[in-house]
């Protein structure tokens, strides 16, 4: 019995000494850290928020700190705008979490900003670049339609040889064997000017259609650009979310390891049952599993952003801290349903509908007469000697009128086909209008609820922190079981993840809301 009592005295003395050391370190960290924004109590514990891009390497992390005081915990509370809960007015010194040697990270002192990510994504191979190329192709179609009104100049050169006729009497001049040909050797050289006279309106309709398709392609480029912006925003904040979850998982594991160490000391001193150590070890294993999953999620999210910005997969990449995306003043009232019509998709659909109607005019013009002209200047002779060449040099002109009579209904079928395409375009426009309206209200609701969730989750994190502090204190005093501490740790982990997810949902919903209103 005396030896057991002496063990208890030694353990409590070590707690007291470690507590004073932790308290001194906490005071030093409070004087050197920034106070959390929006804190209404000057005596509240300063809150430090660490970006995942500036996480220290586990190999360079200092050794674990001494045992914290009974009312302290290694968890760090994220900074949030708004008043702090009333129960958080009591200053609570916090201890630094021990090292977590499961992840090896390369710190990136220059995290990628969202604007820089958008600039890099615009220069990479994407649907936006493809849309720009399609727009240039449509511009060339307009040039070709304009050139169709102008005459085409060519220079046909030919030489025709025909065998002499057989059975001619001696002394008769040699003649060609084919009566359709002009001579045994025939030389032709012309400068030809030919073109179409647009009496049926086909050329004008073709030009108007190509101009409408160019407008549609231009609007499609804008649509692709906005889609790329939204994809970059989602990938950017997806990586920021994954990094924040990884940082949180490291802190959670450090807290679980520290609590396991404390429980081991209590078991060694006979203060608690050995099963409490088993439960603490299970909690540590669960936090390790959480860390592994967070690490995998960060690798996947980083790969998605690397694809968009053109980074090599071996190049480190990081984003700004997710907590920088906390909405201070959402200002969602600026997005109104009347702004839906500003979306470039409407201009694209209108241009496509106009092009479909012009296609009907083109199909109808195939059933009308067409007029062409051709002018030739040059020579068509049987000898290239001077006299004969001058004799057979000259010019000719021809005008041709083509009147369609019967084509087994092919032209009418093309016209009906064009009218059906008009109906398809009108139907797609109606469907798109309903879809765009639904997207606006969905994005608006998601942004509003996400902003509210950020505020609620911020308060829940602070309360969960207080609950964990009280649970650890009660456990050390013998007033609570270990299950209360593990439940409090799990609650804090869940509230942190809910906070990070709410910030991510808000930023992505805000991007979709901008896209829905054509901004």
């Amino acid at each position: 019995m005396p030896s057991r009592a002496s063990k208890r005295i030694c353990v409590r003395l070590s707690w007291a000494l470690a507590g004073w050391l932790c308290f001194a370190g906490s005071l030093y960290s409070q004087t050197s850290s920034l106070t959390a924004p929006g804190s209404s109590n000057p005596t509240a514990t300063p809150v430090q928020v660490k970006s995942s891009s500036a996480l220290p390497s586990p190999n360079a992390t200092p050794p674990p700190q001494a045992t914290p005081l009974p009312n302290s915990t290694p968890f760090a509370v994220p900074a949030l705008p708004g008043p702090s809960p009333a129960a958080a007015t009591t200053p609570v010194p916090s201890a630094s979490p021990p090292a977590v040697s499961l992840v090896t990270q390369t710190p990136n002192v220059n995290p990628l900003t969202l604007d820089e990510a958008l600039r890099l994504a615009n220069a990479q191979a994407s649907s936006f670049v493809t849309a720009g190329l399609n727009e240039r192709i449509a511009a060339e179609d307009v040039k070709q339609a304009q050139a169709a009104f102008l005459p085409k100049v060519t220079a046909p050169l030919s030489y025709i040889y025909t065998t002499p006729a057989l059975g001619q009497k001696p002394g008769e001049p040699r003649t060609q064997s084919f009566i359709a040909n002009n001579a045994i050797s025939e030389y032709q050289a012309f400068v030809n000017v030919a073109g179409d006279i647009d009496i049926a309106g086909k050329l004008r309709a073709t030009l108007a259609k190509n101009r409408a398709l160019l407008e549609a392609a231009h609007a499609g480029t804008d649509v692709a650009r906005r889609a790329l912006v939204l994809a970059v925003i989602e990938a950017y904040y997806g990586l920021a979310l994954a990094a924040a979850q990884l940082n949180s998982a490291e802190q959670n594991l450090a807290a679980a390891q520290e609590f396991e160490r404390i429980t081991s000391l209590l078991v060694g001193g006979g203060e608690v049952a050995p099963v409490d150590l088993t439960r603490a070890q299970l909690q540590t294993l669960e936090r390790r599993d959480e860390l592994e999953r967070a690490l995998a999620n960060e690798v996947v999210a980083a790969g998605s952003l690397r694809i968009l910005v053109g980074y090599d997969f071996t190049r480190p990449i990081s984003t700004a801290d997710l907590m920088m995306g906390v909405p201070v003043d959402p200002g969602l009232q600026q997005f109104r349903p009347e702004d839906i019509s500003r979306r470039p998709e409407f201009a694209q659909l209108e241009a496509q509908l106009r092009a479909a109607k012009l296609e009907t005019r083109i199909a109808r013009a195939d059933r009308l007469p067409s007029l062409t002209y051709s002018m030739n200047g040059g020579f068509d002779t049987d000898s290239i000697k001077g006299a004969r060449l001058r004799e057979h040099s000259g010019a000719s002109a021809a005008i041709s009128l083509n009147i369609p009579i019967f084509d087994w209904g092919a032209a009418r079928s093309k016209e009906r086909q064009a009218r059906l395409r008009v109906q398809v375009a009108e139907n797609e426009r109606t469907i798109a209008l309903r879809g765009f309206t639904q997207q606006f209200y969905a994005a608006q609701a998601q942004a509003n609820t996400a902003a509210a969730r950020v505020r609620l989750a911020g308060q829940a994190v602070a309360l969960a922190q207080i609950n964990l502090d009280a649970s650890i204190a009660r456990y050390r005093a013998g007033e609570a079981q270990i299950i209360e501490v593990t439940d409090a740790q799990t609650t804090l982990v869940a509230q942190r993840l809910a906070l990070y997810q709410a910030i991510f949902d808000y930023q992505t919903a805000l991007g979709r809301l901008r896209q829905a209103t054509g901004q």
Side-chain angles (χ1 to χ4, degrees), residues 105-127:
Q105 293 183 350
T106 303
N108 190 352
V109 296
N110 293 320
L112 188 68
T113 63
L114 180 58
D115 293 337
E116 182 68 12
L118 292 173
R119 186 188 66 81
L120 293 174
N122 287 335
Q124 305 303 318
S126 61
S127 57

Side-chain angles (χ1 to χ4, degrees), residues 14-15 17-19 21-22 63-69 95-96 258 261-262:
S14 63
W15 286 351
L17 179 60
L21 292 175
C22 181
Q65 302 293 328
T67 306
L69 291 178
S96 301
E258 177 67 13
R261 188 182 67 84
I262 295 173

